[in-house]
Each structure stands twice: as C-alpha cells, then as structure tokens.
Amino acid sequence: MTKLTVLDTTVSYYSRKDEDYISLTDMARYRDAERVDYIIQNWMRNRNTIEFLGLWEQLNNPGFKSIEFDGFRNQAGLNSFALTPKLWIEKTDAVGIISKKGRYGGTYAHKDIAFEFASWISVEFKLYLIKEFQRLKDEEQRQLGWDIKRNLVKINYRIHTDAIREHLVPETVTLAHATMVYASEADLLNVALFGMTAAEWRRDNTDKDGNIRDYATAAQLVCLSNLENLNALFIKEGIPQGERLARLNAIAIHQMTLLTADAGIKRLGSSKG
C-alpha cells in the first residue's frame, strides 16, 4: 500500500494485476471527513457518473453485466435512486471499483475512475492528485531501473568469480566458422554466441520477422553485451579475428552456463515478456 499527499490529504493506492487503484475513501475526506460514505454514494447516484462507470467497464471488463447496468442507468436521476459501491460491484460484476475490508479498508477505484471522482470533488484537487501520482510513478520507474542495473552487476560479478557447474550452453564453433573471414563484427559475435551468422539465421527462419537478436533471451542479451565489450578490447590489442572468435565463443559458453542457472536473470527474463 502506497500513500501520497494531496493538498494536505493522505491518499492511499495499490497495484492489482498491474493496474493502480486509488482510495476514493481517502479522497472523499478532502470534501467532508465526517461523511466519506455519503460523498461517494452521492457521486455514484449521478447519471453522468453511471454513464462513465458503465462505459469504462464495457471497455475493460468482458464479464460486465450490461443488463444490470441498464437498470441502474434508467433509475439514475430519480430522487429515490441510491447506489453504493458494494451494490454496484455485486449487481454488475464491476472491476473498476473495489471495496476492501481490514486495516486499509475502504472504497478504491481504478485510476481512470479515481481521477473522474477527483474532478467531481474539486478541479484543483484533481490536478494536484495527477501531479503527485505521476511523480510517485516516475520514482517507481527510476527505482525499477536501478534494481535491474543492480541485478546485472551481481550477475556479471558471478560470471567473473564462479566456476562452470553445468553443461556447456553454446556449442563450440565449427571449423568452417572458425576459418571464415567476417565482414561484420556483429556476425562474429553472432557466431560466438548463437553459432550462426545473421544471414544463416534468416535462411533457416524464413517464417520470422526481424533478426536473430530480436529472439534472444534476457540471458543471451546480457552475455552479448559482455562479448561486445570484450571484443572491442581484443581489437585494440590487435588479436586476429579467428583467435578473437575462439576466445569469445569460450567466454560465451562459460557465461551462458552461469546465466541460465541464475535466478535473478530468470526473473529479468520473465519481466521482459
């Protein structure tokens, strides 16, 4: 549960299935701290609100019960009409609004709906809410980037210190490949890691778009980055291309053995998809 401060009001939000839900209960306190439930219900009985909620569900929720929604829409605007978040969820199978119990209980809504609620409370409140929410999301992205870099540093450290524990991952380059002269340094790296040139991959994969590196795993991409740096160093040292290929292939075998067994790189690979 994450908290942000908007015009001296603390507002909670959390992520559910990669979507952000913001507390309407907390936001309602800005309007009237003593009657938060009434504020939310008063907003929900508005016809424009019902139309907005229904449209959002139809766009984002295949299980939304449109017939029940039509019933609420027809009643909206009548003096006798009343609607609570719990009733809306139970009758329509809505997913845009959630009622939570417990310590962080209350009514939460998908950020699209929460911003609409904020407009109803106060235009000023909505603008500050969006600004603060975006600031926190940007901070989360920066932290995520730092975590990825930290994982890569740990993985590369392991590559340089651990011994090979499993079978060889890339195959040793063939004599035919070893004696070829490569016009492209990129192809030299392709052979060292993937065992084939870009042209050979295209010949064997006519049904696929892109190139060989587009289909590389996260582990292969980490290894490839390391090979590129080492190859640049080997070139400066004047090492012939054939010898560089043999060295890079041996390094690729060593690194891929470690990377394919590393839990950190597996998690990185799964988030890539």
Side-chain angles (χ1 to χ4, degrees):
M1 190 68 64
T2 307
K3 296 182 180 295
L4 49 88
T5 302
V6 183
L7 297 177
D8 297 324
T9 300
T10 300
V11 180
S12 303
Y13 78 89
Y14 75 103
S15 294
R16 179 175 181 265
K17 296 181 179 179
D18 295 326
E19 297 289 348
D20 294 312
Y21 284 74
I22 304 175
S23 173
L24 301 188
T25 301
D26 289 344
M27 294 164 62
R29 291 193 177 97
Y30 175 78
R31 187 78 167 269
D32 189 337
E34 301 299 325
R35 301 192 302 167
V36 293
D37 290 340
Y38 171 78
I39 296 296
I40 296 173
Q41 291 174 29
N42 199 33
W43 171 69
M44 292 191 69
R45 69 188 301 271
N46 183 286
R47 185 176 184 84
N48 289 336
T49 300
I50 295 295
E51 294 280 0
F52 179 85
L53 293 177
L55 180 59
W56 188 94
E57 294 289 345
Q58 289 170 350
L59 292 174
N60 297 280
N61 178 12
F64 183 60
K65 296 180 179 178
S66 297
I67 295 178
E68 285 74 6
F69 158 65
D70 288 336
F72 286 132
R73 180 168 55 182
N74 292 335
Q75 296 178 61
L78 299 177
N79 291 334
S80 60
F81 178 62
L83 183 61
T84 65
K86 184 177 180 180
L87 182 62
W88 170 255
I89 296 167
E90 289 179 350
K91 295 296 184 181
T92 66
D93 281 346
V95 298
I97 292 180
I98 296 173
S99 289
K100 289 176 63 70
K101 296 180 180 180
R103 181 180 177 186
Y104 298 105
T107 300
Y108 288 77
H110 186 278
K111 66 178 184 296
D112 298 342
I113 298 172
F115 292 153
E116 185 71 12
F117 179 64
S119 293
W120 184 79
I121 290 178
S122 161
V123 173
E124 180 186 23
F125 186 85
K126 175 185 179 180
L127 292 175
Y128 278 102
L129 173 66
I130 293 175
K131 183 177 180 180
E132 180 63 10
F133 180 78
Q134 190 58 55
R135 183 190 69 78
L136 286 180
K137 298 307 290 184
D138 290 343
E139 182 62 30
E140 287 179 6
Q141 290 301 313
R142 282 193 291 271
Q143 184 61 42
L144 176 62
W146 167 251
D147 288 343
I148 291 174
K149 291 177 182 177
R150 184 172 56 186
N151 279 335
L152 290 178
V153 169
K154 289 168 65 177
I155 291 165
N156 281 328
Y157 175 78
R158 179 177 175 181
I159 287 172
H160 292 112
T161 57
D162 285 9
I164 295 177
R165 296 185 225 174
E166 297 185 4
H167 62 280
L168 301 184
V169 180
E171 294 182 1
T172 304
V173 293
T174 63
L175 180 62
H177 276 134
T179 56
M180 288 176 63
V181 176
Y182 296 96
S184 166
E185 289 298 326
D187 259 344
L188 180 75
L189 296 175
N190 287 339
V191 172
L193 179 59
F194 303 112
M196 64 180 67
T197 65
E200 288 171 335
W201 182 87
R202 286 193 297 271
R203 181 196 64 202
D204 296 338
N205 296 273
T206 56
D207 58 325
K208 295 180 180 179
D209 295 326
N211 59 62
I212 189 171
R213 298 188 182 191
D214 292 332
Y215 296 87
T217 65
Q220 288 173 322
L221 290 175
V222 171
C223 183
L224 183 61
S225 176
N226 293 328
L227 294 182
E228 287 174 340
N229 293 332
L230 289 171
N231 190 41
L233 179 63
F234 293 162
I235 291 174
K236 288 182 180 180
E237 292 177 352
I239 299 174
Q241 191 179 72
E243 184 179 343
R244 282 190 282 117
L245 174 58
R247 288 193 186 186
L248 292 170
N249 178 236
I251 292 169
I253 292 171
H254 176 83
Q255 292 193 3
M256 285 302 298
T257 300
L258 298 175
L259 287 171
T260 53
D262 192 284
I265 200 67
K266 287 178 181 177
R267 287 194 297 272
L268 186 61
S270 63
S271 66
K272 176 185 173 185

